[in-house]
Amino acid sequence: MNSSAVRSILADPRSVRPHYQPIVELDSGKVVGYEALARWPGHPSVDPGVVFSSAAECGVIDEVDWACRCAAMTGALDAGMSEDVSLFINIEPLSSRIVPAYAREIIGTAATRLNVVVELTERSLLADPAELLETVRRARKSDCLVALDDVGSHPDSLALLEFVAPDIIKLDYTLSQSDPSPQQAAVVLAVAAYVESSGARIVAEGIETDAHLRRATALGAAFGQGWMLGRPAPLPTPGDRQHSGAISARPILSVKSGAHARADTAVPSVPSDLLTTSSAQVGSKSLLLALTRQLEDHARHMPDPLTIQAAFQDSAWFTQSVADRYARLAAVNPFVAALGVGMDTEPAAGVRGAELHPDERFVGEWTITIVGSHYCAALIARDLGDDGADHDRRFEFLLTHDRLTVVAAARSIMRRVLPK
C-alpha cells in the first residue's frame, strides 16, 4: 500500500469521487438501489478500508466520513436520482455528531429528494454500542432506513442484531460464494429468524456467477449486489435510466419494515419503567438472587452469542463469586456488562462495567437481560426501599421472555455502557 497516497487523501478527504454499485431485485433484474463507494481518482489503487483505518488512527475519521457522505449525496443529486431507488451510504457510527457547515445544505436537500439508507458495517457494532444506538436513533429520526452490512463476517456481532433492528440485512459475500461453515450456518439461521419476525429484507453481496445467484436465492435474498449484476461506476444519467428501463417504479427498499417499527419502541429511562400493575409481582431479594442465578446458568449453556447485561445497584453485590460467573460468561459471549455504584470499568475479565451515581434512579434497579438470536429473557426489578435484613428486602419485579420487553430493557442498560 502506498502510504504517501493515503497521507495525501487524509490531507484532502474532500477529493473523494464516489462510484455507485447497483442493488438489483433478483427475480426481475431491476435496479432498486445504489451503494455509494468511496473512490479517489488521483489514487485509484488505494483500498478505501485502509483509508478509513488510517483516518481513525490519525484522528481524522470525522473529516473523511463526512466528506464521503456528502460526496455520495451530491453525486446522486447531480445525477438526478429520485426516491424511486434507494441510495445506500456507508457511515462510521463513531464519527462526530457535529455536522460540518458545508454539509448542512447538502443533507437538507438530500432529505427532500433522496431515499437514503444508512449502512452500518458489522465490524463497528461492538466498539461503542451506546453511540451505535444513538446513531441508529438519529438515522431513523431523519426517516432513513438502516442496513447492516457484511453480516456473516463477524458472527459475534449477531448478538446486537436486535438492538440495531436493521430494515435491510446485507449478507457477506462469502455466504453467496461458498457453502457456509458451521459458524456461518448459525448466522444464516439467526438471520432467517430475525427476518421472519421483523419483515426485514435480505441483500446478498458478492454475486458474480449463476451459482452465486442460486445460493443467494436459497439463503432467502430477494435482492443482490455483485459484478454479475453491475460493477461500481458513475451513476447513469436520467436519460440513460429512462431508456434502459433498469429502474424499478416501485420503491421496494423505501418501505419501512416491521424492524423499523420495533426499533422505534421507546427506550425506558430505567428498565423498571416497563413494569405495570398487572404484570409485576413482589418478591424478596433472596428470590431475585435465585432467579438471577438461574438465568445466568441458562445463558452459560446457550450455543448462540448473547448480550448479557445486569444492573446490581451497588458494586458491593458484585462479589468475587459473581465476578467469576460473569467472567465465564464473557469468555464465550461477545457482550457482557454490569452496572452499579462504584463499579469498575472492567469488574471481571472481559466484562464491561459502568459506574452509577448514588443519587440516580438506576440505583434502584435489579435487572438482568439476556438477548440472543433464538433466546431472550429478563428479570426486571425495582427496589421498594425496605429496611431490615438485606435478603428480605422486597422488590417489585417481572420475569419475562417477551422479546420487545427484553430488548427495551436491555437498550436502557446499554445506553450506559462505556466504549471499549
Side-chain angles (χ1 to χ4, degrees):
M1 175 56 62
N2 189 336
S3 58
S4 64
V6 173
R7 287 196 299 272
S8 176
I9 290 170
L10 298 186
D12 183 20
R14 292 173 68 178
S15 62
V16 63
R17 296 293 180 270
H19 280 191
Y20 300 81
Q21 186 170 27
I23 295 170
V24 173
E25 186 181 28
L26 296 181
D27 63 358
S28 69
K30 293 192 174 181
V31 176
V32 296
Y34 289 92
E35 179 183 358
L37 301 170
R39 298 290 186 268
W40 288 270
H43 307 285
S45 63
V46 169
D47 181 347
V50 173
V51 173
F52 276 90
S53 60
S54 299
E57 292 172 3
C58 297
V60 293
I61 189 66
D62 291 353
E63 291 84 346
V64 173
D65 185 45
W66 279 109
C68 291
R69 291 195 214 183
C70 290
M73 289 183 281
T74 299
L77 291 168
D78 289 346
M81 182 183 286
S82 72
E83 289 184 295
D84 290 339
V85 292
S86 300
L87 174 64
F88 285 66
I89 298 179
N90 294 278
I91 72 168
E92 291 291 322
L94 306 186
S95 65
S96 173
R97 303 179 192 180
I98 301 173
V99 180
Y102 75 87
R104 292 169 191 161
E105 183 177 354
I106 299 170
I107 292 173
T109 304
T112 62
R113 291 173 50 188
L114 298 175
N115 171 37
V116 175
V117 178
V118 169
E119 189 166 326
L120 305 171
T121 302
E122 209 185 11
R123 68 174 183 272
S124 67
L125 300 188
L126 293 171
D128 187 348
E131 185 60 31
L132 173 71
L133 293 182
E134 178 59 22
T135 298
V136 171
R137 186 196 69 80
R138 293 198 311 272
R140 290 202 156 97
K141 186 177 179 181
S142 300
D143 212 30
C144 296
L145 298 190
V146 174
L148 188 56
D149 193 18
D150 299 333
V151 172
S153 59
H154 300 273
D156 280 352
S157 296
L158 281 177
L160 293 183
L161 187 62
E162 285 285 352
F163 297 89
V164 178
D167 304 280
I168 299 164
I169 292 178
K170 299 185 74 177
L171 297 178
D172 188 66
Y173 74 94
T174 56
L175 292 172
S176 298
Q177 296 186 358
S178 60
D179 290 329
S181 66
Q183 260 194 332
Q184 289 177 318
V187 169
V188 171
L189 292 176
V191 168
Y194 174 76
V195 168
E196 183 178 25
S197 65
S198 69
R201 297 157 180 82
I202 297 177
V203 176
E205 299 179 304
I207 298 177
E208 299 180 1
T209 67
D210 287 334
H212 297 165
L213 178 60
R214 289 192 296 272
R215 188 176 283 111
T217 303
L219 292 171
F223 308 93
Q225 187 176 4
W227 285 7
M228 177 181 174
L229 306 174
R231 298 196 177 206
L235 279 173
T237 66
D240 291 337
R241 291 200 298 270
Q242 182 177 356
H243 290 103
S244 69
I247 296 299
S248 170
R250 295 171 293 160
I252 296 172
L253 292 177
S254 66
V255 180
K256 294 179 181 179
S257 68
H260 202 103
R262 71 206 265 174
D264 288 340
T265 303
V267 179
S269 297
V270 294
S272 65
D273 284 346
L274 296 165
L275 299 179
T276 64
T277 303
S278 60
S279 66
Q281 300 169 279
V282 175
S284 66
K285 182 177 177 180
S286 59
L287 172 62
L288 265 61
L289 286 170
L291 295 175
T292 300
R293 179 64 181 269
Q294 181 61 34
L295 289 174
E296 293 165 353
D297 287 346
H298 192 74
R300 193 159 55 89
H301 298 290
M302 292 296 296
D304 299 328
L306 305 171
T307 68
I308 303 164
Q309 303 179 85
F312 285 90
Q313 296 192 290
D314 194 285
S315 60
W317 312 128
F318 197 81
T319 61
Q320 186 58 54
S321 62
V322 175
D324 292 342
R325 289 204 305 274
Y326 274 72
R328 288 194 293 271
L329 289 170
V332 294
N333 291 290
F335 189 89
V336 179
L339 280 64
V341 175
M343 193 71 74
D344 291 336
T345 56
E346 189 175 4
V351 177
R352 304 192 194 198
E355 185 173 9
L356 300 177
H357 189 278
D359 296 330
E360 62 177 300
R361 289 182 62 207
F362 237 113
V363 176
E365 302 290 302
W366 185 284
T367 293
I368 178 172
T369 65
I370 302 169
V371 180
S373 299
H374 304 287
Y375 177 79
C376 67
L379 175 67
I380 304 168
R382 173 168 48 218
D383 194 334
L384 293 178
D386 291 343
D387 296 324
D390 179 62
H391 277 216
D392 292 333
R393 288 194 294 126
R394 294 177 307 145
F395 288 75
E396 188 177 23
F397 76 94
L398 169 67
L399 179 62
T400 180
H401 294 81
D402 176 73
R403 186 166 287 272
L404 289 180
T405 303
V406 174
V407 172
R411 282 182 176 146
S412 180
I413 296 177
M414 188 173 283
R415 292 193 307 187
R416 303 299 305 273
V417 178
L418 300 175
K420 192 170 183 178

